[in-house]
Amino acid sequence: MRISEIKAIRKAKIPVENLFEGIKINEKTALGRAITLAESNNQNHRIAAQDLIERCLTIKSSSIRVGITGVPGVGKSTFIETLGKNLTVLGNKVAVLAVDPTSTKNKGSILGDKTRMQQLSLDPNAFIRPSPAGESLGGVAQKTKEAIIICEAAGYDIILVETVGVGQSEVAVHNMVDFFLVLKLSGAGDELQGIKRGILELADAVVINKADGNNITAANMAVKEFTRALHLNPAKENGWVTKVIACSAIENSGIQEIWTMITNYIKNNRESGYFDEHRNEQNKFWLIQTIENRLIENFYQDKAIQSELENQLKKVSQGRTSPFNAAEKLLNLAKKHTD
Ligand code: GDP
């Protein structure tokens, strides 16, 4: 570590060492504080957080990371609560994180609502953390990625990352997990018409939830329809063909089968080497992604660029310059600032 970095950490008065010790013995307050630190945009905090994350990475973990998505109301939190409880009973430690870039607007995040996952939140073997708020998707995703590393260092062996069914955040979550699960409902009419093909292509499994009561026949029909539709997709690069399973999160039926499917998938991928390869690919992706986010952020936060941008926008709208010329000017200005 550089001297300037050590100074920055001292200045921020963050006892990184203590936090790390707390994390290692899974002290939930230390864990919460560490994630808050990682979420901070304060420059000194970021340096301390990077130090902490580097330390966390030295702790070996054989965690499984699972992404869970679906439209609001599909049953994500009920599903996570039921699955989580099934897993903690077996002695697993489960961390639930969320990626919800919309939380900026409604001031609450998908896990922020206290009525969700009530039982799991009281479980000593579970840790639930809402989505970082006030961030762009890039920011949320990076911070969730860091939270995963911190939770793994605290011994959480199953990480569930929840996101809402809106395009880009699903892609981001897909890029940070080992298994990606899409929750769907049956009986909603033309499910297959409404399929966002892109997201289904990302799915390792499609789970038809609420397969209970009067809905069982419709759920089984939906399983058949989705299976038929998905078979038109080519197999994934590891040979996996997306599975379709029905479950009832409320009645805890089908959940065990889903978990067995996930663990079999992970076991096969570990044996074939795909598991590590895939995580490496994801790390490369996040490296590039982080650079791009940071460059964009720095660009738009620069005061001189902000005022020149306004000036250039005006010129473009008056037809006094072309958008390409304007962009060139602004980029040159940014380059001057970094030289
Ligand atoms: P989320 O918005 O995706 O997190 O969905 P919730 O978990 O909050 O569930 C939305 C509603 O669906 C709630 O009223 C749940 O009780 C209900 N629900 C969730 N899972 C099931 C299920 O398996 N069966 C039935 N019948 N209802 C469910």
Side-chain angles (χ1 to χ4, degrees):
M1 192 182 289
R2 294 204 307 262
I3 294 182
S4 61
E5 291 175 338
I6 295 170
K7 275 190 186 154
I9 293 174
R10 284 210 191 111
K11 196 168 161 218
K13 297 198 177 67
I14 308 290
V16 173
E17 187 65 46
N18 292 355
L19 277 184
F20 183 54
E21 291 305 317
I23 289 168
K24 281 199 289 189
I25 54 169
N26 184 22
E27 241 177 50
K28 284 194 184 167
T29 39
L31 189 55
R33 284 188 62 204
I35 296 176
T36 305
L37 178 66
E39 286 174 358
S40 169
N41 286 326
N42 172 297
Q43 189 55 25
N44 292 339
H45 290 177
R46 290 248 24 103
I47 293 170
Q50 288 318 319
D51 177 21
L52 186 61
I53 286 160
E54 291 291 316
R55 291 177 197 231
C56 287
L57 282 171
T58 61
I59 296 180
K60 278 257 158 295
S61 158
S62 54
S63 70
I64 298 178
R65 304 169 183 167
V66 179
I68 297 164
T69 187
V71 295
V74 73
K76 291 180 297 301
S77 55
T78 314
F79 178 85
I80 292 171
E81 168 129 299
T82 305
L83 173 64
K85 282 192 298 176
N86 287 359
L87 294 171
T88 56
V89 159
L90 296 173
N92 294 290
K93 285 169 67 183
V94 179
V96 183
L97 306 171
V99 169
D100 178 15
T102 59
S103 64
T104 338
K105 286 189 206 115
N106 51 28
K107 288 272 187 215
S109 67
I110 46 178
L111 292 179
D113 179 351
K114 290 274 183 291
T115 59
R116 302 178 90 227
M117 303 178 203
Q118 264 172 342
Q119 296 185 40
L120 197 60
S121 59
L122 297 173
D123 191 324
N125 279 330
F127 176 78
I128 301 181
R129 178 84 183 185
S131 179
E135 291 283 338
S136 62
L137 172 62
V140 172
Q142 185 193 333
K143 283 157 188 185
T144 307
K145 194 72 191 42
E146 291 172 343
I148 292 178
I149 294 166
I150 297 171
C151 289
E152 288 172 348
Y156 288 87
D157 50 358
I158 296 164
I159 314 285
L160 305 178
V161 187
E162 177 184 3
T163 188
V164 277
V166 284
Q168 284 311 305
S169 63
E170 291 174 313
V171 176
V173 170
H174 176 259
N175 278 321
M176 60 176 90
V177 297
D178 307 311
F179 194 95
F180 191 66
L181 211 149
V182 178
L183 288 188
K184 288 266 169 196
L185 291 179
S186 64
D190 349 278
E191 298 99 59
L192 293 169
Q193 314 275 311
I195 286 182
K196 286 184 284 169
R197 279 220 94 78
I199 295 310
L200 277 198
E201 273 162 24
L202 298 180
D204 294 307
V206 173
V207 170
I208 313 292
N209 189 32
K210 307 196 188 184
D212 46 44
N214 293 334
N215 207 21
I216 293 184
T217 318
N220 290 336
M221 278 283 289
V223 169
K224 283 204 188 108
E225 286 167 8
F226 273 99
T227 308
R228 206 174 312 129
L230 286 164
H231 265 91
L232 301 174
N233 286 349
K236 304 206 172 223
E237 53 180 344
N238 57 351
W240 177 259
V241 177
T242 307
K243 299 275 183 294
V244 187
I245 301 190
C247 81
S248 167
I250 273 194
E251 295 187 351
N252 193 4
S253 67
I255 306 287
Q256 188 52 51
E257 287 84 337
I258 293 167
W259 190 248
T260 305
M261 166 189 67
I262 294 175
T263 49
N264 282 339
Y265 174 93
I266 300 290
K267 185 169 171 284
N268 289 340
N269 283 336
R270 283 212 168 107
E271 283 166 7
S272 70
Y274 180 82
F275 184 89
D276 289 335
E277 213 177 281
H278 184 232
R279 281 206 177 174
N280 274 339
E281 283 305 315
Q282 290 181 328
N283 282 336
K284 284 190 214 161
F285 168 86
W286 287 110
L287 188 152
I288 304 294
Q289 194 73 10
T290 308
I291 292 173
E292 289 179 2
N293 287 342
R294 200 60 58 80
L295 286 175
I296 291 171
E297 224 175 84
N298 291 348
F299 181 87
Y300 287 110
Q301 275 171 6
D302 186 312
K303 291 274 180 283
I305 287 176
Q306 282 171 2
S307 77
E308 186 57 28
L309 177 60
E310 236 165 75
N311 183 25
Q312 292 295 333
L313 280 171
K314 217 179 282 161
K315 281 188 168 174
V316 168
S317 68
Q318 292 166 348
R320 289 194 287 135
T321 185
S322 81
F324 314 106
N325 247 337
E328 202 64 40
K329 279 224 169 71
L330 288 159
L331 288 167
N332 281 336
L333 186 60
K335 193 163 175 291
K336 258 187 228 144
H337 286 196
T338 48
D339 282 346

